[in-house]
Amino acid sequence: MSSTAIPEGNVGNLTTEQETKLRQFWGTIFKLYDLYESKDPEIQAALKNCATQAAAPAQKSRFGLFGGGKKANAEDNNATALIEKQLGLGAADENDKFGLRKQFMEMLSKHSADSARSMIFEAVKHDHPDALALRFLRARKWEVDRGIIMMFSAMEWRTSKSKVDSDIMYNGDGGGARDEKSSDPNTKILAHDFMRQLRMGKGFLHGTDKLGRPISYVRARLHKPFDGKNESLERFIVYNIETGRMVLEAPIETACLVFDLTGFTLANLDYVPIKYIIQSFEANYPESLGVILVHNAPWVFKSVWKIIQGWLDPVVASKVNFTNGRDGADGITNHIAPERLIKELGGDLDWEYKYVEPIEGENDVMKDTTTRDRLLAERKQIGQQFEAATRKWVEKSTPETNAERTRLAKELGVNYWKLDPYIRARSMYDRNGNLRGGKKAAWYEDEKAAAALEDKAGDRSTLQSEDTFVDAGNDAAVALGSLKIDEKTPLPTTANAVAA
């Protein structure tokens, strides 16, 4: 598959059946919003009681929620059954190893329609909202109810537990460098642990593989168990995953993850972060990994792998490839071109990881809350328009509704990159010129040279202005009529035709 091909099941390449599932998925989201906004006191009471049921599961309800545990009262059981029925939830997933159904039911009692909407559009960032939904649908083999449970559990994790956008990305490494000087001992230690991992390069991004996927490197030899707090380690892992999302550009939606085990010994073995990484990618960032390269694994890793493999979802496990050395049948250059592979792993690229410290004043624009709030209000308005168009699309998929959704999704992307400097602290990749505010990421010298020329010429082809999108939306009917689609190209649905 070329780097520009769109995999089936992604935005722009949906079968008729997949588009139907996506419409059902959004329809169920809207059912949840409507439940929150219902004036029915029974429904409102049921939503509040879902948390009690989740905390104290009863025997399986007729809709198959939880089994075992101490009994919940009849009111709680009725509440759960009512909400399950309204949302069309099926039987509980026996393989729900992360307890997502329980998390989902607890989440229901905490939110409103507005906060649920906000969670989704905060997580969407610069993506098409369908791309976010499709990740969870694919991860749950197109089972709508389980995809909904998984997505909202992940959204709750982002906002309430890990505070991904309100803390980790908002403060970034600039916040870490600041907190290293804090007078509070705990704050200072956590910040120092976080920054130490960045400075040593325990994990970092650089370059792309042969399919154009960004590469995330993990140097396992640099990890020492108990050499820092788990909280800082988890923060570091999430920070790297989220920063990696910033360099994705459609149709590329996945990354190449390289676990470099060169020099790895049992002294580096720590199952705690391994489990956290697995949970992150399986439960909170599904369908984000294109390939996992376990490179130069020593013989002692064989027994470790048997344990890890048992924890992995079979789909994730199928993406694991063991590579050894540079060339040959199992060489890493089968996946990463030699000229794009860093010399540390035997490649021809003369590049070494070097952390670039935060620059004084680089985040001063974040103090401009007036502009931030204006852009957030604009984003909310676009989101409302996207929801209205999607509600129509759920009822009936037509070229017109698809064109409207595509236009609004692009407007959301433009809005995000305007908003980004006000809500995300600058990272090393911003300082190095790798991240370019919505334009194609530049990793290599030839890419940076091309980027410099593009910026100098004022070429905004990769990030069109809002006005351009509005004009394109007004001419959508004309554009649709002029589309020339190759009969061999898999674009069977109206959604695909518009996305193309």
Side-chain angles (χ1 to χ4, degrees):
M1 183 183 72
S2 71
S3 62
T4 56
I6 302 175
E8 185 182 293
N10 288 49
V11 175
N13 189 8
L14 299 177
T15 65
T16 301
E17 292 76 15
Q18 289 167 347
E19 183 181 343
T20 298
K21 290 289 187 181
L22 179 60
R23 289 166 61 202
Q24 291 173 356
F25 190 90
W26 280 109
T28 304
I29 291 174
F30 299 147
K31 285 179 183 177
L32 176 58
Y33 294 168
D34 293 344
L35 286 180
Y36 278 127
E37 294 174 339
S38 170
K39 303 299 183 182
D40 188 331
E42 184 180 8
I43 289 177
Q44 292 303 316
L47 286 168
K48 292 179 181 179
N49 288 332
C50 280
T52 306
Q53 167 61 11
Q59 299 300 317
K60 282 188 178 180
S61 74
R62 61 193 178 96
F63 294 98
L65 188 57
F66 305 110
K70 77 175 184 179
K71 283 188 176 181
N73 61 42
E75 183 180 6
D76 294 331
N77 285 330
N78 291 338
T80 302
L82 175 60
I83 298 303
E84 288 177 332
K85 183 177 181 179
Q86 292 289 327
L87 296 179
L89 304 186
D93 184 358
E94 295 179 358
N95 298 316
D96 185 10
K97 62 182 178 181
F98 300 120
L100 300 182
R101 184 117 179 190
K102 180 175 181 289
Q103 293 176 40
F104 174 71
M105 300 307 289
E106 290 176 338
M107 181 278 299
L108 289 178
S109 67
K110 299 179 182 178
H111 288 278
S112 64
D114 282 344
S115 64
R117 287 185 180 98
S118 295
M119 287 196 300
I120 291 177
F121 284 107
E122 187 176 77
V124 163
K125 296 186 184 293
H126 57 288
D127 291 336
H128 192 305
D130 283 354
L132 181 72
L134 287 167
R135 287 181 186 274
F136 293 96
L137 267 174
R138 294 195 303 269
R140 284 298 174 261
K141 298 178 175 58
W142 301 93
E143 294 185 41
V144 173
D145 59 340
R146 292 181 181 178
I148 289 288
I149 288 170
M150 187 183 195
M151 187 182 78
F152 276 104
S153 296
M155 299 301 100
E156 175 69 5
W157 169 84
R158 291 180 65 89
T159 57
S160 299
K161 186 174 182 180
S162 286
K163 295 180 172 54
V164 174
D165 295 300
S166 63
D167 177 14
I168 295 177
M169 302 308 290
Y170 181 82
N171 289 300
D173 51 350
R178 177 197 65 222
D179 288 347
E180 281 186 304
K181 304 171 185 176
S182 173
S183 59
D184 178 74
N186 188 57
T187 299
K188 186 174 184 176
I189 290 172
L190 290 174
H192 176 71
D193 288 347
F194 173 70
M195 294 302 295
R196 184 164 50 85
Q197 293 175 90
L198 279 172
R199 289 172 179 136
M200 74 170 68
K202 185 186 289 187
F204 58 89
L205 300 162
H206 193 76
T208 52
D209 69 3
K210 287 185 174 181
L211 293 183
R213 297 173 296 210
I215 305 170
S216 178
Y217 293 95
V218 177
R219 294 151 139 180
R221 66 182 178 277
L222 297 183
H223 180 72
K224 298 291 190 295
F226 310 111
D227 187 24
K229 291 182 176 292
N230 284 338
E231 185 179 340
S232 293
L233 181 57
E234 291 178 0
R235 186 184 189 91
F236 176 75
I237 291 169
V238 172
Y239 181 74
N240 275 278
I241 295 174
E242 279 291 319
T243 304
R245 283 192 63 198
M246 296 291 99
V247 302
L248 292 175
E249 182 183 30
I252 304 298
E253 291 193 9
T254 60
C256 169
L257 181 58
V258 178
F259 279 100
D260 179 16
L261 299 187
T262 305
F264 174 88
T265 70
L266 291 179
N268 304 117
L269 179 61
D270 188 352
Y271 288 121
V272 173
I274 292 174
K275 286 183 176 181
Y276 188 79
I277 291 172
I278 291 172
Q279 180 170 356
S280 294
F281 281 113
E282 290 190 5
N284 300 318
Y285 297 96
E287 296 291 303
S288 295
L289 294 175
V291 66
I292 304 167
L293 306 181
V294 180
H295 187 61
N296 286 347
W299 68 269
V300 295
F301 189 73
K302 291 182 179 179
S303 58
V304 175
W305 171 242
K306 288 181 180 179
I307 296 172
I308 296 173
Q309 190 174 25
W311 295 336
L312 292 175
D313 179 275
V315 174
V316 176
S318 70
K319 297 178 181 180
V320 176
N321 290 263
F322 284 84
T323 59
N324 284 283
R326 170 187 160 118
D327 303 309
D330 59 353
I332 194 169
T333 53
N334 289 311
H335 302 274
I336 305 171
E339 67 274 13
R340 300 306 203 194
L341 179 66
I342 60 177
K343 65 180 182 179
E344 183 177 319
L345 273 68
D348 297 335
L349 184 65
D350 188 14
W351 180 91
E352 293 181 351
Y353 178 84
K354 183 178 180 181
Y355 177 70
V356 179
E357 294 285 340
I359 299 170
E360 185 70 27
E362 67 182 1
N363 296 312
D364 282 353
V365 69
M366 299 176 81
K367 298 174 184 177
D368 182 2
T369 57
T370 301
T371 302
R372 179 202 66 191
D373 291 346
R374 176 179 60 79
L375 290 169
L376 284 170
E378 176 186 285
R379 187 169 185 80
K380 183 176 181 179
Q381 184 177 34
I382 300 170
Q384 290 171 342
Q385 294 172 355
F386 181 84
E387 180 181 330
T390 303
R391 283 182 182 266
K392 293 180 182 178
W393 176 71
V394 167
E395 293 299 320
K396 185 178 181 180
S397 177
T398 66
E400 291 76 19
T401 56
N402 273 278
E404 179 72 358
R405 295 180 74 248
T406 298
R407 179 183 69 82
L408 291 167
K410 289 178 178 178
E411 284 195 31
L412 280 169
V414 171
N415 167 271
Y416 175 77
W417 287 115
K418 289 180 180 179
L419 181 62
D420 179 71
Y422 300 91
I423 61 173
R424 180 182 66 85
R426 300 302 85 183
S427 69
M428 180 184 78
Y429 306 100
D430 295 280
R431 296 173 209 124
N432 283 341
N434 307 127
L435 258 173
R436 304 177 55 238
K439 298 180 182 180
K440 185 177 176 60
W443 298 107
Y444 307 106
E445 291 306 317
D446 58 334
E447 292 177 344
K448 288 187 175 182
L453 288 174
E454 177 186 328
D455 293 340
K456 186 176 181 179
D459 181 1
R460 300 198 291 177
S461 61
T462 55
L463 180 60
Q464 300 180 43
S465 70
E466 242 180 327
D467 291 339
T468 303
F469 286 126
V470 172
D471 292 340
N474 293 336
D475 296 333
V478 176
L480 283 166
S482 64
L483 278 176
K484 295 180 180 179
I485 302 174
D486 189 328
E487 291 181 358
K488 297 180 182 179
T489 303
L491 297 171
T493 69
T494 53
N496 293 336
V498 174

